[in-house]
Amino acid sequence: MAETGFKKWIITITVITASLLELIDTTIVNVALPHIQGNLGATLEDVAWVVTGYAVANVIILPMSGWLGGRFGRKNYFMASIIVFTIVSFLCGNAHSMDELVLFRIIQGIAGGGLISTAQAILLETWPREQIGTATALFGLGAVVGPTVGPTIGGWIVENYSWPWIFYVNIPVGALAAFCTYTFVRETPKDAKGKPVDWWGIILLAIAVGSLQTVLEKGESEDWFAKPYILVLTISAVLGTILFIWREMSTEHPIVNFSILRHRSFAVGMFTSFILGFGLYGSVFVFPVFCQNLLGFNAQQTGELLFPGGLCTIVMMPFIGKMLNKGIPAQFMATAGMFLFYVFTHMLSNSTLATGEKDVLIPLLIRGVGMALLFVPLTTLAMADLKGPELGQGSGLNNMMRQLGGSFGIATLTTLIHIRQGVHRNNLLVNINPYNNPFNDRLHMLTQGFMAKGKSMIDATHMAYQAIEGMVTRQTLLLTYDDAYWISGLVMLFSIPLLYLQPFKKLKAVADSH
């Protein structure tokens, strides 16, 4: 039964706040890694596990969150997740070694996985079915804005305080969210209580999803299959997935209820959520690297550039929800969102070395509108046919696919950048030869310039070659990042036909059917 009045809104604010904590923590740590590395005396490879451990634990627990909510009660599980997340946030900030920090981040990821999906399920049950568009829009505020503003908040905290505070800020917010959950959220039936636990399902899920996420997180930095453990984990991911699906389809009490895939909207929605994650996390990954490595911005400046786009998403979300409630097909709005995302990537793929803050503002605002048009309709299409216990299961799988889409996006773009960087450098180096008049003119001009500053002929020539090397490197990076933007946009554009595999339904009709 849906809630009304003050209680509906206080529950809404509570679950959005809790999910926002989890989502911000997926990206807020990234800008603090160099500070953590220096403070704890760790290598870059070691400190990367602060991000990887959290992501792996998070994506393992997401598909299980529906079952856990059914076994212990959705309210109890949600509240326990908030409390554990809050306590471990303090322990992360108070960690004295890298091993401690990675361990606490893994626990934080486990607790965080129970926040986002359970929050979405609670929200969809709190609002009337005919207002599912509005409920999804409100949830989308955290899901889309969280990863976007995470670097902004992290950059500001690190610049003005110290890295432990990126964890300590969770404590008062988490405490308030736990209190409001205890006070206002209504308990749901414990559907899975007393039923056998599918331990084999849990083990196979952890092996399959954990192996896959680790491969995606570490593959590029480890040169993919050049490292034996990446190869072993890839095999584990494939075999684990096959065995897990077989187990869940054959057992009477599965951890993940694959029968919900009978809903065509949800089955197709799994793929569209994957594409959404690819675009959302992939673009958030590429843009800061592009700004800091090429345009010379610091972490805080980069975060501030992303903020207006996030604000644009916030402003658009309620309007998108109202448009859905009025019966405008979600497919049409998602199509517009995918096209706007393509426009954003197309504009940035034409960047030059002279690109400045004003040049990226309009594309980022377009991305903000596009993400609002994508997240709300895609999630609404996927979840519209689910009810009761299926909401928790569906929310967990849907969020897992978005997270995996993001991991695939980052891994794909990282590999693409690595490959294309070599291709572009080789193409540019063809022009660095004594038979190329423009090269000779530039070399002569630079040499003369350094000699005018008092350098000898030999030193000036050496410095001129170094300057040209710097130019080649910058041009190589520019062309590589332009390729990454272009590929991201094409993935989104070519995914538009998937939307029309989902049936057209008005939300009012969906509400009446339940």
Side-chain angles (χ1 to χ4, degrees):
M1 183 184 294
E3 303 286 359
T4 58
F6 170 78
K7 191 173 182 181
K8 178 177 77 172
W9 283 104
I10 195 69
I11 292 173
T12 299
I13 294 170
T14 299
V15 297
I16 290 173
T17 302
S19 61
L20 196 59
L21 276 179
E22 192 275 337
L23 289 157
I24 286 176
D25 265 52
T26 60
T27 56
I28 193 174
V29 176
N30 295 9
V31 295
L33 292 181
H35 298 264
I36 296 173
Q37 181 184 355
N39 187 254
L40 297 181
T43 65
L44 184 61
E45 184 178 283
D46 289 337
V47 80
W49 282 101
V50 174
V51 176
T52 302
Y54 181 89
V56 171
N58 199 263
V59 82
I60 288 173
I61 211 71
L62 275 171
M64 290 176 54
S65 58
W67 175 81
L68 289 167
R71 188 168 188 85
F72 300 107
R74 197 170 289 156
K75 173 181 177 178
N76 294 336
Y77 177 53
F78 186 62
M79 188 166 62
S81 296
I82 296 173
I83 292 170
V84 172
F85 190 91
T86 305
I87 293 172
V88 178
S89 292
F90 169 77
L91 295 175
C92 285
N94 201 47
H96 295 96
S97 69
M98 186 53 59
D99 290 341
E100 282 184 25
L101 182 57
V102 171
L103 173 63
F104 294 143
R105 279 286 284 175
I106 290 172
I107 300 172
Q108 192 182 41
I110 292 172
L115 288 179
I116 183 169
S117 298
T118 315
Q120 187 176 14
I122 291 172
L123 195 61
L124 292 175
E125 285 195 332
T126 299
W127 284 70
R129 295 295 295 185
E130 62 269 19
Q131 295 180 353
I132 188 175
T134 303
T136 305
L138 291 169
F139 178 76
L141 290 177
V144 175
V145 176
T148 304
V149 302
T152 309
I153 297 171
W156 185 83
I157 290 174
V158 170
E159 290 289 331
N160 293 279
Y161 297 95
S162 57
W163 69 263
W165 282 97
I166 63 176
F167 299 111
Y168 292 153
V169 293
N170 294 336
I171 297 171
V173 182
L176 181 62
F179 171 77
C180 291
T181 300
Y182 177 78
T183 307
F184 297 106
V185 175
R186 186 175 60 239
E187 185 55 272
T188 55
K190 300 176 183 178
D191 302 299
K193 187 176 181 181
K195 296 179 181 177
V197 178
D198 179 20
W199 290 110
W200 277 111
I202 293 174
I203 293 169
L204 290 170
L205 174 64
I207 292 172
V209 180
S211 298
L212 176 60
Q213 183 71 14
T214 305
V215 168
L216 294 173
E217 291 277 337
K218 305 295 289 185
E220 172 59 27
S221 63
E222 298 286 18
D223 197 21
W224 294 107
F225 304 117
K227 288 292 179 72
Y229 89 91
I230 295 292
L231 180 61
V232 171
L233 286 177
T234 303
I235 296 170
S236 297
V238 173
L239 292 178
T241 300
I242 294 170
L243 291 172
F244 173 69
I245 293 173
W246 171 79
R247 170 69 185 182
E248 298 309 278
M249 297 292 284
S250 60
T251 187
E252 191 175 345
H253 303 288
I255 292 293
V256 176
N257 181 16
F258 284 115
S259 67
I260 60 176
L261 292 173
R262 71 184 184 278
H263 301 292
R264 182 152 58 101
S265 284
F266 181 76
V268 178
M270 295 273 282
F271 291 99
T272 54
S273 291
F274 183 89
I275 299 300
L276 175 63
F278 189 105
L280 173 61
Y281 290 97
S283 58
V284 171
F285 162 73
V286 173
F287 183 76
V289 176
F290 166 69
C291 287
Q292 292 175 46
N293 286 1
L294 199 59
L295 302 184
F297 299 159
N298 62 33
Q300 188 168 341
Q301 286 175 314
T302 305
E304 289 169 354
L305 278 175
L306 288 166
F307 186 74
L311 191 62
C312 194
T313 304
I314 293 173
V315 172
M316 285 295 298
M317 284 287 192
F319 294 104
I320 304 299
K322 288 180 181 179
M323 290 164 68
L324 283 170
N325 292 339
K326 288 181 179 179
I328 297 175
Q331 286 89 339
F332 293 167
M333 285 191 281
T335 299
M338 287 186 171
F339 180 74
L340 286 177
F341 186 87
Y342 172 76
V343 171
F344 150 73
T345 57
H346 178 73
M347 292 176 73
L348 285 186
S349 70
N350 292 311
S351 297
T352 69
L353 293 175
T355 296
E357 294 183 16
K358 292 181 180 179
D359 300 306
V360 300
L361 179 60
I362 298 300
L364 287 173
L365 291 176
I366 291 173
R367 176 187 177 276
V369 176
M371 279 298 159
L373 281 164
L374 276 172
F375 184 88
V376 182
L378 290 182
T379 306
T380 302
L381 280 171
M383 303 295 291
D385 289 344
L386 307 183
K387 62 178 181 178
E390 289 183 341
L391 277 174
Q393 289 277 357
S395 179
L397 283 172
N398 196 50
N399 283 296
M400 181 195 74
M401 289 302 289
R402 189 173 65 251
Q403 293 283 86
L404 284 176
S407 298
F408 266 97
I410 292 171
T412 301
L413 292 174
T414 303
T415 304
L416 174 76
I417 287 170
H418 179 75
I419 294 171
R420 295 298 293 171
Q421 198 168 333
V423 171
H424 287 306
R425 180 174 174 82
N426 289 336
N427 291 339
L428 290 173
L429 287 177
V430 170
N431 300 308
I432 309 299
N433 66 77
Y435 305 104
N436 185 353
N437 289 330
F439 165 70
N440 288 327
D441 293 341
R442 177 60 64 91
L443 181 65
H444 178 73
M445 183 187 72
L446 290 170
T447 303
Q448 293 300 315
F450 288 124
M451 288 178 67
K453 294 180 180 179
K455 301 297 181 181
S456 67
M457 180 67 178
I458 295 176
D459 289 342
T461 304
H462 179 68
M463 293 172 72
Y465 273 110
Q466 285 184 319
I468 290 174
E469 168 64 21
M471 293 175 194
V472 170
T473 300
R474 284 170 60 79
Q475 287 288 348
T476 298
L477 288 173
L478 175 66
L479 293 170
T480 302
Y481 292 133
D482 285 352
D483 284 351
Y485 288 127
W486 182 68
I487 293 295
S488 298
L490 287 182
V491 168
M492 195 68 76
L493 198 63
F494 289 151
S495 300
I496 289 176
L498 281 174
L499 300 172
Y500 296 91
L501 296 175
Q502 294 173 295
F504 283 82
K505 287 186 178 181
K506 288 188 176 181
L507 294 180
K508 186 68 178 174
V510 173
D512 293 341
S513 70
H514 291 292

